[in-house]
Amino acid sequence: MSAAVGPHSTLFWAVCALALLACGVATTTALLWWRARRQVAGLQHSLDVASTQVGAAAPGDVLTGLLPRAEFELALDEAVQRCDQRRSSLCVLFVDVDGFASVNDSLGHDVGDQVLRLVAERLHSVTPQKTAAARVSGDEFLLLLEHDLPQAQQLAQRVLQAMALPLPVAHGRPLTLSASVGIAAYPVHGARARLVAQAHTALRAVKQAGGRAWASFDPQMAVDQRATAALVADLRVATGLRQFELFYQPKIDARTLQVTAAEALIRWHHPNKGVISPAVFIPLAERHGLIGEIGNWVIDEACRQAGTWRAAGLRMRVAINLSAYQMRQDDLVPRLEAALASNRLQPGRFTVEITESLALENTQATQRTFEALRRAGVHVAIDDFGAGQTSLAYLRQLPASELKMDMSLVRDLASSADARAIAEAVIRLAHALERRVVAEGVETAAQRDLLVRMGCDELQGYLFAKPMSATALGLWAMDDEFSRRPAFSASLFQDTVPQD
Ligand code: C2E
Ligand code: MG
Ligand code: MG
């Protein structure tokens, strides 16, 4: 027996091996069990954290504390029932912050979040107690007012006023924004199911008209929006197929009445609808993400045409119009420089026109582009000047060499002493800042004579020439008949540079 279990016996070693194996299994099992427990504990912790967060967010949108969409819909259902019982009215207001995307793009998402929180606070401060308020997406808010349409319109007006006050964001200058509001009323505008959609239709109508306003739903709005949607679909096709043409309208020297430049104005040749004005389709292209591609085509085509004229001996200064989106594009100036270089054009002979409202935007992105344009030596003109409220201090900083007086100022020159006083002030101001002034929309000899007397530098308008195709402009220039006209002659094309 002792031999059987002694240190040298086989049984002894077998028992030892078994014991070791058992120990190993036990240790491994213990380790696995411990690891599994840790994982369970970890999961439990994550679950706890998540449920705490959900708990905190439960009353509403995490960022603003307002209701989420689903709860707003429930509140609306209940309010509609109350309305039906009492035979009263209620209204849904769809509120959208104008230009919020550019706040996010140019100032970053932290500032964007601050703005949204402040907007929620402002909405809260102008709405009666118990008004259900929700944030339904990025910068879109819904308000539910258990009153009739006139009271909802008053509320919309208060929302616009509150939103127009500067927003004090941290680490930066206060931002001044605006809002748009669409209103739909129950039961006047129809069934509960369509109420929010109708408020949204009204909001879109406000946006399409430029924002900063409110509108109540009107069935015609839905019809207009369907037509617009069809036009946008056509515009998408047109952009791919390049169904565009640049027309050119001369600018005339006010003293010599010689042509100083030609402004490129885009036209869309719609296959069924004929020629469509940029005033119609450029805003659509801006809203639907097509302006980048169209704007690039304008740059290439204007440079190509300027190169062709140059090769024919017509050294025409060409101006193009830029949109807000292009001014925020990082590659705008390199693209322009490349197009100029490949057509052997000097940047100093090329002008870009930027509307006053866009020049006023004064965001980091537009500042960078202004600076890059200045470095590249491209001339900048401020278009539609006098239509907005440019800060004079800011105007001084802009590297613009030309101000284009808005045609609304030119229109009333002959009939209104006020219009004359404003036009004179604009010309004097521009000259004090060493900028040239071009008057747009000159249609009558009386307007021309007044502007010349006031010292305006250049004139543009139907009195001299309407925008025309590049071919028509070339033919006009070569035509002896026309060369006797003060507005245009072939020799004038030798150099159309006003102030290089
Ligand atoms: P804008 O740059 O201020 O151009 C002046 C507009 O006034 C042009 O309208 C022109 O045809 C019109 N006009 C010129 N002289 C007279 C006149 O004596 N009387 C009247 N009543 N109108 C006159 P158009 O060509 O329809 O262009 C409208 C606007 O569309 C332009 O205003 C410009 O802001 C924009 N646009 C045109 N082409 C482009 C483009 O290639 N890109 C961009 N982003 N915008 C463009
Ligand atoms: Mg222009
Ligand atoms: Mg203009």
Side-chain angles (χ1 to χ4, degrees):
M1 179 77 191
S2 68
V5 293
H8 301 293
S9 77
T10 316
L11 186 60
F12 172 81
W13 287 113
V15 169
C16 283
L18 265 176
L20 271 172
L21 194 67
C23 264
V25 169
T27 316
T28 313
T29 311
L31 262 171
L32 283 173
W33 177 82
W34 180 75
R35 216 192 282 164
R37 267 203 63 142
R38 258 188 46 163
Q39 276 173 354
V40 169
L43 279 172
Q44 186 61 50
H45 177 71
S46 312
L47 253 168
D48 288 348
V49 169
S51 63
T52 316
Q53 283 169 348
V54 171
D61 165 47
V62 179
L63 184 67
T64 60
L66 299 181
L67 294 179
R69 173 72 177 257
E71 288 195 29
F72 183 87
E73 294 286 348
L74 287 177
L76 184 54
D77 285 339
E78 286 164 15
V80 164
Q81 277 175 15
R82 279 194 293 277
C83 250
D84 291 344
Q85 282 159 9
R86 295 180 200 152
R87 294 176 171 269
S88 58
S89 302
L90 65 79
C91 292
V92 169
L93 291 85
F94 218 124
V95 182
D96 183 280
V97 182
D98 299 328
F100 180 72
S102 77
V103 172
N104 257 346
D105 288 350
S106 54
L107 301 174
H109 286 260
D110 280 355
V111 175
D113 285 354
Q114 283 182 52
V115 167
L116 292 175
R117 273 192 291 268
L118 289 166
V119 169
E121 281 169 23
R122 297 245 162 122
L123 289 179
H124 199 66
S125 70
V126 293
T127 47
Q129 272 194 342
K130 291 199 192 157
T131 306
R135 185 168 75 111
V136 283
S137 71
D139 62 340
E140 290 185 327
F141 299 85
L142 280 171
L143 302 174
L144 164 57
L145 186 73
E146 294 192 46
H147 289 286
D148 54 13
L149 198 52
Q151 274 161 302
Q153 291 167 341
Q154 283 170 16
L155 172 58
Q157 190 58 37
R158 288 201 300 277
V159 168
L160 297 188
Q161 282 162 355
M163 283 298 302
L165 300 173
L167 296 162
V169 290
H171 316 301
R173 280 193 291 164
L175 283 177
T176 305
L177 296 175
S178 60
S180 302
V181 186
I183 311 169
Y186 177 87
V188 267
H189 291 142
R192 144 75 182 99
R194 292 208 308 275
L195 208 49
V196 174
Q198 285 168 334
H200 195 238
T201 300
L203 171 69
R204 280 218 301 271
V206 174
K207 288 281 198 188
Q208 276 168 15
R212 291 171 184 266
W214 58 261
S216 311
F217 174 74
D218 176 333
Q220 183 58 35
M221 287 172 174
V223 177
D224 294 347
Q225 282 169 20
R226 274 197 292 279
T228 306
L231 201 60
V232 170
D234 290 352
L235 185 57
R236 224 172 269 288
V237 174
T239 307
L241 298 178
R242 307 281 189 259
Q243 289 170 349
F244 305 116
E245 183 181 357
L246 289 184
F247 271 31
Y248 293 87
Q249 187 182 31
K251 293 182 190 175
I252 311 291
D253 185 295
R255 277 170 298 274
T256 63
L257 296 181
Q258 293 179 334
V259 174
T260 59
E263 175 182 6
L265 294 157
I266 193 169
R267 300 290 180 262
W268 171 13
H269 293 288
H270 190 286
N272 313 318
K273 296 190 168 82
V275 177
I276 299 189
S277 155
V280 172
F281 75 86
I282 290 287
L284 290 183
E286 284 173 341
R287 276 201 299 275
H288 297 273
L290 296 169
I291 193 66
E293 205 173 332
I294 296 175
N296 289 342
W297 178 83
V298 170
I299 291 173
D300 292 342
E301 176 57 18
C303 289
R304 191 200 59 75
Q305 186 57 59
T308 306
W309 275 330
R310 197 187 143 86
L314 309 178
R315 294 175 62 197
M316 176 75 84
R317 169 186 284 281
V318 170
I320 59 165
N321 292 280
L322 290 182
S323 74
Y325 173 87
Q326 289 175 287
M327 283 297 284
R328 293 188 212 113
Q329 249 178 337
D330 279 342
D331 66 345
L332 170 76
V333 179
R335 183 178 280 278
L336 193 54
E337 285 178 304
L340 290 167
S342 69
N343 290 284
R344 298 160 176 271
L345 299 167
Q346 294 171 23
R349 301 265 164 89
F350 202 82
T351 302
V352 294
E353 299 192 0
I354 294 156
T355 58
E356 182 187 17
S357 53
L358 171 55
L360 269 177
E361 227 186 60
N362 194 12
T363 59
Q364 281 172 4
T366 51
Q367 284 294 324
R368 270 201 304 274
T369 304
F370 268 122
E371 182 51 32
L373 284 168
R374 197 188 57 75
R375 274 201 310 272
V378 173
H379 279 226
V380 176
I382 306 294
D383 208 350
D384 304 341
F385 186 81
Q389 328 112 356
T390 302
S391 125
L392 297 186
Y394 180 54
L395 183 64
R396 274 183 52 211
Q397 299 167 18
L398 289 179
S401 51
E402 190 176 304
L403 298 185
K404 296 190 75 181
M405 197 194 302
D406 192 56
M407 58 181 87
S408 61
L409 294 180
V410 174
R411 192 176 41 229
D412 303 331
L413 274 183
S415 59
S416 149
D418 283 356
R420 284 195 292 279
I422 297 173
E424 264 186 307
V426 167
I427 293 168
R428 240 180 293 133
L429 162 77
H431 287 167
L433 297 172
E434 295 179 355
R435 311 301 200 254
R436 293 172 73 89
V437 189
V438 183
E440 295 187 288
V442 182
E443 291 184 352
T444 67
Q447 291 167 344
R448 176 198 61 201
D449 294 345
L450 280 165
L451 287 160
V452 169
R453 233 176 294 144
M454 289 174 186
C456 186
D457 302 287
E458 290 176 26
L459 309 170
Q460 198 181 11
Y462 295 169
L463 177 67
F464 306 101
K466 285 193 169 180
M468 59 186 105
S469 70
T471 316
L473 193 66
L475 287 174
W476 199 37
M478 302 304 175
D479 191 335
D480 277 350
E481 255 307 287
F482 285 109
S483 67
R484 284 200 295 278
R485 289 190 176 189
F488 230 81
S489 82
S491 63
L492 298 175
F493 283 109
Q494 292 312 307
D495 210 336
T496 66
V497 184
Q499 51 148 199
D500 265 354

